[in-house]
Amino acid sequence: MNIAVAQSGGPTCAINASLLGVFRHATKYEDIETVYGAVNGVEGLIYNNFVSLNDIIQSDDDVELIRQTPSTVLGSCRYKLPAPDSGDAVYETIVATLRARDIRAFFYIGGNDSMDTVMKLDRYFEANNIDIKVIGIPKTIDNDLPVTDHTPGFGSAAKYIATSIQEITRDSSVYSVESVTIVEIMGRDTGWLTAASAVLRANGEVAPHLIYLPERPFSVKQFVEDCRRVQATYPAVIVAVSEGIELSPDEAEGFQSGKNDAFGHKYLAGVGKALEKVVTREIGCKVRSIELNVMQRCASHLSSKRDITEAERIGGAAVKAALNGESGKMMVFQRISDRPYNVRIVSVEAEKVANHVKYFPTEWINEAGNDVTEDAIRYTLPLIQGEQNFRMKNGIPQHYVLPEALPRPKK
Amino acid sequence: MNIAVAQSGGPTCAINASLLGVFRHATKYEDIETVYGAVNGVEGLIYNNFVSLNDIIQSDDDVELIRQTPSTVLGSCRYKLPAPDSGDAVYETIVATLRARDIRAFFYIGGNDSMDTVMKLDRYFEANNIDIKVIGIPKTIDNDLPVTDHTPGFGSAAKYIATSIQEITRDSSVYSVESVTIVEIMGRDTGWLTAASAVLRANGEVAPHLIYLPERPFSVKQFVEDCRRVQATYPAVIVAVSEGIELSPDEAEGFQSGKNDAFGHKYLAGVGKALEKVVTREIGCKVRSIELNVMQRCASHLSSKRDITEAERIGGAAVKAALNGESGKMMVFQRISDRPYNVRIVSVEAEKVANHVKYFPTEWINEAGNDVTEDAIRYTLPLIQGEQNFRMKNGIPQHYVLPEALPRPKK
């Protein structure tokens, strides 16, 4: 028998570690002959586009190289399957492809949308008595998947964000002038990544002085007052703000009426740029906005060792679950303790995760809505621990790239 | 006798290493009692704001911590001295301050503007028979100082830029859709940092597929054609572009007439954002612009070991030069060979550097003006070699911060 694995959704630093987890655990079983990698997520199943991971990964060197490569070595997709009972021919195509290769289990590494795919494939297989197991492996820097304590990819992103903001803090405080530096952070409509910047406090930093998450309505007026108040003590104010913050209802109307374009071009120029304009207009001090951008999800040179290790572990656990007969499940972390840090991996129904969002706990946001509590630091710190041993070449990290001319397995 | 050192201009990852170089070399001489650090550059000399580095740096731990801290531990300034023969009282103030502390030599770590200060102070001292030596120590990520082969700070910035663009390249190529990713890079009106991105070719990367420097006029029309042509082979096009590119004369008029705002808001939104709009309008594919922003000059977690080592070495050489009676000079690197890499440090008149700019050699730009030659790679590669051993705490790099309550030396 053979198995297949694919990667989906936005890139992270840990998604290839989960791929390795699946492959390396599978090779322990004599029954499993080939581990196929489907190229570009579930699209690989539809278009019969596979590579043999057994051909690709032949040495410890290959393993190390793939482990330190960010993003998805197999490519990704944002494909949404139709309902399993829609009669859509795509399911028959997928079943034909998998059967032709004797693939008995499919592992899908991804976020909310990917778990939707896991759930639908499993339902179709079950309804049609097809014995192919489907298991989801969580992955997203946003950390917004329900049930699991955290998601692989989050720890590395958090480590990069905290490190970068600390460096930006040093950079911003060299001149003896008042300034506001706004750092815009990913996470869509959840605040996990932005809140992670607070871990700097564990090292004695005061910055970021202000932290704004999408889980609370954002008031421009309050933001300006906050900046002014902080600046009286700390001339160089550092602000961490989520890309997804929403204006409070009473202010939104004024902004939408065209009187003020600060948020009008939110999706064009980003919330950081909008707040930069607000500071210029209302405070008039030196101001800079910084988008950490995709580096948050791909800066593998600074990935968290714990994140990478856990990502590989949860990939292996998925194989074990499938071989135990489970299907339609996603693997999750359950945190047993913070100190010493300890987690167990269990499986839950993918439908509990698919298309749902886990928001940052509002009880971990301070009353003023401009900072997070100690709970956020306690929660995040264990996830950013440790650094990978990195293989460099010519002073630059080495990456693995799927050879275009790779011999494809026989169809 | 005592000496003083100060830091000026924009932050880098290597500027504190040069400070250490001055301090550690000075401690070898019994004649030198105290090494003072002037706070906020030459302003520290004017406002009599000093710390004793002997108090601050007492152990190897202190040295390591300061070495791995980005930006300036003593703060910075952008103060421009008046002409030495202007009769301005600021010179008398400075002389009084230095004499009161028995400071016989002043070391200024900075860029073009700081060398202007070195030159002026030296001329004033010489004209007034004041025996205080002044030596400049180069520093700028822009690498735009004349005479010296390269500047401390450049290698670390180049390493961060190349590494980040490689990660961005992985990130941008996961989906099977056409895209253009534009990375905007610092360097003001010189292209050294942007050209450094080409070192990725040494590791087999094709990206960045297009490189645009300020040393050549930029044509929007040619840019669009370049993107289209590259995209036919590489669906995910990576563009490295200098923040300081200028429109070609024949296109500039059209843009300035208000017909097109692509460059009209250059200094508001940045050249990357402007080109993003151009791609959206002219090509219509997925497009993203990324500003590497201040992380280029402060991401010390990825600094080049060679850069840091050389920065410390050139700081020490400055002390040696002053003790040999030199003044009004800046220390420079002379490259002896690329392979094996070998440099010597000598001094040159500061006036040869002050207020001058060293541009990227136009003969290292290809004919089409959209790439650099092998020479750029050969030149940059030795400067990004090696990584620092980094002290981490709680999963985050440790930084040194000047204690606010630090006991100040007696005035």
Side-chain angles (χ1 to χ4, degrees):
Chain A
M1 66 176 270
N2 303 316
I3 66 170
V5 56
Q7 302 170 311
S8 177
T12 77
C13 290
I15 191 166
N16 290 328
S18 289
L19 185 80
L20 289 172
V22 170
F23 174 76
R24 299 181 84 197
H25 196 82
T27 54
K28 291 180 185 169
Y29 296 91
E30 284 197 3
D31 290 353
I32 300 174
E33 222 169 304
T34 301
V35 180
Y36 286 106
V39 175
N40 288 327
V42 73
E43 287 179 11
L45 269 55
I46 298 168
Y47 303 116
N48 192 23
N49 193 359
F50 291 89
V51 292
S52 159
L53 293 182
N54 304 67
D55 288 347
I56 291 173
I57 309 168
Q58 298 199 333
S59 67
D60 287 350
D61 268 10
D62 295 335
V63 169
E64 274 183 52
L65 211 52
I66 291 174
R67 192 186 282 128
Q68 72 176 43
T69 300
S71 189
T72 58
V73 295
L74 294 175
S76 182
C77 72
R78 292 223 184 257
Y79 187 94
K80 199 173 169 77
L81 279 175
D85 54 2
S86 63
D88 196 296
V90 71
Y91 285 96
E92 285 170 39
T93 307
I94 290 173
V95 170
T97 309
L98 295 176
R99 281 195 163 151
R101 293 177 186 271
D102 193 24
I103 291 168
R104 309 283 184 87
F106 174 61
F107 302 92
Y108 210 27
I109 313 169
N112 319 58
D113 296 341
S114 313
M115 295 315 135
D116 179 76
T117 301
V118 168
M119 186 182 74
K120 284 173 176 169
L121 282 177
D122 177 65
R123 283 187 186 164
Y124 182 86
F125 294 160
E126 199 182 333
N128 294 276
N129 282 317
I130 296 160
D131 188 23
I132 301 176
K133 309 298 181 196
V134 193
I135 303 280
I137 299 165
K139 174 251 31 161
T140 167
I141 62 162
D142 298 339
N143 201 37
D144 62 351
L145 297 193
V147 193
T148 189
D149 176 74
H150 59 279
T151 56
F154 171 67
S156 294
K159 189 182 183 90
Y160 177 81
I161 290 165
T163 299
S164 297
I165 292 183
Q166 191 183 27
E167 290 167 346
I168 290 166
T169 301
R170 291 291 86 71
D171 185 277
S172 72
S173 57
V174 293
Y175 300 116
S176 54
V177 294
E178 293 186 331
S179 65
V180 174
T181 304
I182 300 151
V183 186
E184 181 184 324
I185 297 166
M186 283 181 163
R188 296 193 293 185
D189 55 346
T190 70
W192 295 100
L193 284 173
T194 307
S197 64
V199 297
L200 290 178
R201 314 267 170 78
N203 279 17
E205 296 285 345
V206 182
H209 306 99
L210 297 165
I211 297 176
Y212 300 101
L213 311 186
E215 281 81 0
R216 280 282 184 87
F218 182 82
S219 159
V220 173
K221 191 164 161 269
Q222 189 60 50
F223 163 73
V224 172
E225 282 174 23
D226 287 347
C227 286
R228 283 207 179 101
R229 181 179 41 75
V230 170
Q231 206 161 52
T233 312
Y234 304 100
V237 182
I238 306 289
V239 181
V241 62
S242 292
E243 62 178 357
I245 56 162
E246 295 280 350
L247 280 183
S248 60
D250 57 322
E251 282 188 344
E253 208 181 324
F255 277 87
Q256 284 160 359
S257 71
K259 283 181 203 159
N260 195 315
D261 75 343
F263 274 66
H265 296 95
K266 183 175 161 183
Y267 293 102
L268 196 68
V271 82
K273 274 272 173 259
L275 293 179
E276 183 183 317
K277 285 179 195 168
V278 167
V279 171
T280 299
R281 192 186 60 213
E282 301 293 329
I283 303 181
C285 67
K286 187 181 170 187
V287 60
R288 186 191 289 274
S289 69
I290 298 169
E291 249 190 285
L292 292 185
N293 218 308
V294 298
M295 289 84 85
Q296 291 164 85
R297 64 187 194 197
C298 66
S300 57
H301 70 270
L302 196 66
S303 55
S304 150
K305 187 171 186 176
R306 175 158 287 152
D307 184 29
I308 301 302
T309 306
E310 284 190 343
E312 194 163 334
R313 217 179 118 204
I314 204 166
V319 174
K320 206 173 163 191
L323 293 177
N324 281 342
E326 296 191 63
S327 188
K329 304 281 185 71
M330 186 188 86
M331 310 310 295
V332 299
F333 292 115
Q334 285 181 339
R335 192 181 298 210
I336 299 161
S337 65
D338 294 320
R339 284 185 175 193
Y341 174 75
N342 197 2
V343 288
R344 75 164 71 90
I345 299 173
V346 298
S347 63
V348 297
E349 296 295 329
E351 67 178 10
K352 285 189 178 166
V353 179
N355 308 312
H356 295 294
V357 173
K358 184 178 74 179
Y359 292 98
F360 186 81
T362 48
E363 62 271 25
W364 290 2
I365 303 175
N366 71 344
E367 205 177 334
N370 57 20
D371 205 346
V372 296
T373 67
E374 281 288 328
D375 290 309
I377 301 170
R378 177 192 51 72
Y379 169 83
T380 312
L381 265 182
L383 310 179
I384 66 168
Q385 297 309 307
E387 293 75 50
Q388 280 189 278
N389 286 327
F390 232 78
R391 285 169 55 181
M392 308 290 281
K393 190 179 166 189
N394 290 314
I396 311 155
Q398 269 192 287
H399 284 177
Y400 177 84
V401 180
L402 201 65
E404 283 181 304
L406 194 84
R408 296 297 160 96
K410 279 179 228 119
K411 289 179 184 177
Chain B
M1 65 175 269
N2 303 316
I3 65 170
V5 56
Q7 303 170 310
S8 177
T12 77
C13 290
I15 190 165
N16 290 327
S18 289
L19 185 80
L20 288 173
V22 171
F23 174 76
R24 299 182 83 195
H25 196 83
T27 54
K28 293 180 185 169
Y29 296 91
E30 284 196 2
D31 291 354
I32 301 173
E33 223 168 302
T34 301
V35 181
Y36 287 106
V39 176
N40 288 327
V42 74
E43 288 180 11
L45 268 55
I46 298 168
Y47 302 116
N48 192 22
N49 193 0
F50 291 89
V51 294
S52 159
L53 293 182
N54 304 67
D55 288 347
I56 291 174
I57 308 168
Q58 299 200 334
S59 67
D60 288 350
D61 268 10
D62 295 335
V63 169
E64 274 184 52
L65 210 52
I66 289 174
R67 192 186 283 128
Q68 71 176 43
T69 299
S71 190
T72 59
V73 296
L74 294 175
S76 183
C77 73
R78 293 224 183 257
Y79 187 94
K80 198 173 171 78
L81 279 175
D85 55 1
S86 64
D88 195 296
V90 71
Y91 286 97
E92 287 170 36
T93 307
I94 290 173
V95 170
T97 309
L98 295 176
R99 280 196 164 148
R101 292 178 186 270
D102 193 24
I103 291 168
R104 309 285 184 86
F106 174 61
F107 302 91
Y108 209 27
I109 313 168
N112 320 57
D113 296 343
S114 313
M115 295 314 134
D116 179 76
T117 300
V118 168
M119 187 181 74
K120 285 173 175 169
L121 282 176
D122 178 66
R123 285 187 184 163
Y124 182 87
F125 293 160
E126 198 180 334
N128 294 277
N129 283 318
I130 296 160
D131 188 25
I132 301 176
K133 311 297 183 198
V134 193
I135 303 279
I137 299 164
K139 172 252 33 157
T140 167
I141 62 162
D142 298 339
N143 200 37
D144 62 351
L145 297 193
V147 194
T148 189
D149 176 76
H150 59 278
T151 56
F154 170 67
S156 294
K159 190 182 182 90
Y160 177 81
I161 290 165
T163 299
S164 296
I165 292 184
Q166 191 183 28
E167 291 167 345
I168 289 166
T169 301
R170 290 291 87 70
D171 185 278
S172 72
S173 58
V174 294
Y175 299 116
S176 53
V177 295
E178 293 187 332
S179 65
V180 174
T181 303
I182 300 150
V183 185
E184 181 184 324
I185 297 166
M186 283 181 162
R188 296 192 293 186
D189 56 346
T190 68
W192 296 100
L193 284 173
T194 307
S197 64
V199 296
L200 289 178
R201 314 267 170 79
N203 279 17
E205 296 283 347
V206 181
H209 305 98
L210 297 165
I211 298 176
Y212 300 101
L213 312 185
E215 281 80 0
R216 281 282 183 87
F218 182 83
S219 159
V220 174
K221 190 163 161 272
Q222 189 61 50
F223 163 73
V224 172
E225 280 174 25
D226 287 348
C227 286
R228 283 208 179 101
R229 182 179 41 75
V230 170
Q231 207 162 49
T233 311
Y234 305 99
V237 182
I238 306 290
V239 181
V241 61
S242 292
E243 62 178 357
I245 56 163
E246 295 282 350
L247 281 182
S248 60
D250 56 324
E251 282 188 345
E253 207 180 325
F255 277 87
Q256 283 161 1
S257 70
K259 283 181 203 160
N260 195 314
D261 74 343
F263 274 67
H265 295 95
K266 182 174 160 183
Y267 293 103
L268 196 69
V271 82
K273 274 271 175 259
L275 292 180
E276 183 184 317
K277 283 179 197 169
V278 167
V279 172
T280 300
R281 193 186 58 212
E282 301 293 328
I283 303 182
C285 66
K286 187 180 170 188
V287 59
R288 185 191 290 273
S289 69
I290 299 170
E291 249 191 287
L292 292 184
N293 219 308
V294 298
M295 288 84 85
Q296 291 165 87
R297 64 188 194 197
C298 66
S300 57
H301 72 270
L302 195 66
S303 56
S304 150
K305 187 171 187 175
R306 175 157 287 153
D307 184 30
I308 301 301
T309 306
E310 285 189 344
E312 194 162 334
R313 216 179 119 205
I314 204 166
V319 174
K320 205 173 164 191
L323 293 177
N324 281 343
E326 296 191 62
S327 188
K329 304 281 184 73
M330 186 187 87
M331 310 310 294
V332 299
F333 292 116
Q334 285 181 340
R335 191 181 298 209
I336 298 162
S337 64
D338 294 320
R339 286 185 173 191
Y341 175 75
N342 196 2
V343 288
R344 75 165 71 91
I345 298 172
V346 298
S347 62
V348 298
E349 295 296 329
E351 67 178 10
K352 286 191 178 167
V353 179
N355 309 312
H356 295 293
V357 172
K358 185 179 71 179
Y359 292 98
F360 186 82
T362 47
E363 62 271 25
W364 291 2
I365 303 175
N366 71 345
E367 205 176 333
N370 57 19
D371 204 346
V372 296
T373 66
E374 280 289 327
D375 290 308
I377 301 171
R378 178 192 50 73
Y379 169 83
T380 312
L381 265 182
L383 310 179
I384 65 167
Q385 297 308 307
E387 292 75 50
Q388 280 189 276
N389 286 327
F390 232 78
R391 285 170 54 182
M392 308 289 281
K393 190 179 166 190
N394 290 313
I396 310 155
Q398 269 191 288
H399 284 177
Y400 177 85
V401 180
L402 200 66
E404 283 181 304
L406 194 85
R408 296 296 160 97
K410 279 177 228 122
K411 289 179 185 178

